[in-house]
Amino acid sequence: MSEPLVLVNLFSMPAELVDDFIGGWEASIAAAKDAPGFRGTRLHRCLDPDAPYPVVNIARWDSVEDWQAAFNKYFSHP
């Protein structure tokens, strides 16, 4: 059995794009919510508007294999 996976995703973008990015987050991850092994995600916004990574996501999966399968199905582009 594989170990659980915690992903920490750092997003870099100009300050003026942060609100739109956060606003579209739920739609961006909607497909993954029903993927096998998906355990949840939390999006965090930095208090410092000049931070190099103003948005950070923490996502939990049952295994690397579950995450890879979902990524390949829902997020990779040919």
Side-chain angles (χ1 to χ4, degrees), residues 10-40:
L10 306 173
F11 295 98
S12 178
M13 66 193 77
E16 62 271 12
L17 298 180
V18 172
D19 287 336
D20 287 341
F21 180 86
I22 292 172
W25 180 252
E26 289 298 320
S28 297
I29 63 156
K33 287 187 172 185
D34 293 328
F38 181 73
R39 294 293 165 232

Side-chain angles (χ1 to χ4, degrees), residues 2-62:
S2 294
E3 295 289 322
L5 174 68
V6 175
L7 295 174
V8 178
N9 303 296
L10 306 173
F11 295 98
S12 178
M13 66 193 77
E16 62 271 12
L17 298 180
V18 172
D19 287 336
D20 287 341
F21 180 86
I22 292 172
W25 180 252
E26 289 298 320
S28 297
I29 63 156
K33 287 187 172 185
D34 293 328
F38 181 73
R39 294 293 165 232
T41 184
R42 300 247 358 222
L43 194 64
H44 303 270
R45 181 180 193 155
C46 186
L47 296 175
D48 180 356
D50 297 322
Y53 302 102
V55 181
V56 176
N57 173 54
I58 309 293
R60 295 177 295 114
W61 291 85
D62 283 345

